Structure formats: structure tokens, C-alpha cells
Amino acid sequence: ALEIIASTGDLPRALQAFEAMEQELHAFCALLVASGQAKQPQATKVILNEAIQRFGHEALLYQKGVLSLWTAGAPKDALKLIEVARQRGIRVDPLMCEAAIYSYVVLNRKPAMLQPWVEEAYETLNEEPKTEAVSAMARALARADDWQTALKLVDYLRDCGARADA
């Protein structure tokens, strides 16, 4: 229920639902999503800091934090959080990479500068080739002007019988 409320961006309702349930890792992740949808980057930072204090430096928290900051319209903060995650040994996954590339585009920076992040995210596809991740990576590669690799991923999705939304 919290995830459904979170996806609407109704942060006050999401906070109410959050307080009424056991405050475990996935509840914090849903709350991060709600803060991003509500365009509240400061709330995202507060929630993320609290979650890190409780659960440590979990990759899932950083992923949701990056996506929430990006969704909230804070691309610089999203990029800073990716750097912090990498310093903590957390690899950039396809969803984080997509947010990074879109952030660079919004900030009028060249996505080609993100090539190490793109390569790192691409490597994670071999470990966990989920449709959402493969689609995100294809969109990220296309945005970074690596059309050849992006099209290979779209073909891979088609071969697997998945719908390519990239």
C-alpha cells in the first residue's frame, strides 16, 4: 500500500502510512520514491540520511535516493549522491546510470564524460538482466550516443520476449 501511495507523490499520506507500519528498508525506499514524486529534494535527503543511519550503506538506498533526487528536479544532488555511493564501493547500476546521463543532459554537460559509469552499469546487466534494468541501460546508452550498444540491448529484450520501452 505504501508503494502505491508513494508513486502518487502524496508525501503527507505516504508519511502517515510509513509511520503506521514496520519501518524496514523497503518502507524507507517507498518513502524516498514519494519524496521524489512530490518534488521535495530536501525531504529526500532527510529520509535517505535516516535510512542510512538505520540500515547502513545499502545499494538499494543509494539507487532510490539517486532516482528520487533526479525525479525531484535536483540533478546536481543526484550526481553527488552517485559519487558518494561509488566512494562507498557501491557500483552504478543501469537505473542510476540513466539518471546520471539525464542529469548531465539537463545540466548541459557532455554524457560522454560518464563513460566509466556507463561501463560499470553495463557490467551489472550480466549479473541481473531484469527487463527494467536492460531498458534503462538502453535508454542511457542512446542518450550517451552509443546507439550501437543500445540497439543490441533492444534486440536482446525482443529476443527474450520482453517489450522494449527504450
Side-chain angles (χ1 to χ4, degrees):
L2 177 56
E3 289 180 7
I4 293 170
I5 295 169
S7 68
T8 67
D10 188 345
L11 191 54
R13 269 188 71 204
L15 281 168
Q16 281 180 328
F18 176 78
E19 290 172 358
M21 64 187 298
E22 187 176 324
Q23 296 177 357
E24 47 93 39
L25 180 66
H26 290 286
F28 272 92
C29 289
L31 203 54
L32 285 168
V33 170
S35 68
Q37 292 293 333
K39 306 291 186 212
Q40 298 291 324
Q42 284 307 113
T44 298
K45 292 175 189 178
V46 170
I47 295 163
L48 182 61
N49 285 332
E50 178 66 24
I52 288 171
Q53 286 180 2
R54 290 186 187 206
F55 303 105
H57 298 280
E58 293 284 330
L60 184 61
L61 288 174
Y62 281 93
Q63 180 200 66
K64 295 297 183 186
V66 167
L67 297 176
S68 296
L69 286 168
W70 176 62
T71 302
K76 287 181 183 177
D77 292 332
L79 292 170
K80 286 178 191 174
L81 186 56
I82 291 172
E83 278 298 328
V84 170
R86 291 187 79 227
Q87 290 169 2
R88 300 246 180 239
I90 296 169
R91 292 172 50 189
V92 175
D93 69 9
L95 296 172
M96 291 168 71
C97 183
E98 181 182 25
I101 289 172
Y102 281 104
S103 294
Y104 261 58
V105 170
V106 166
L107 297 169
N108 292 318
R109 297 181 187 167
K110 293 183 180 181
M113 296 171 60
L114 294 175
Q115 192 60 34
W117 293 2
V118 170
E119 290 170 8
E120 192 173 304
Y122 191 76
E123 287 173 12
T124 66
L125 291 179
N126 294 328
E127 299 162 11
E128 197 176 349
K130 292 182 179 175
T131 303
E132 178 186 23
V134 175
S135 292
M137 195 69 230
R139 287 189 302 269
L141 288 165
R143 185 61 86 138
D145 291 329
D146 187 351
W147 289 98
Q148 186 176 15
T149 309
L151 290 173
K152 285 180 188 176
L153 289 176
V154 171
D155 288 341
Y156 168 79
L157 285 172
R158 198 172 320 120
D159 292 346
C160 293
R163 192 183 129 262
D165 67 349

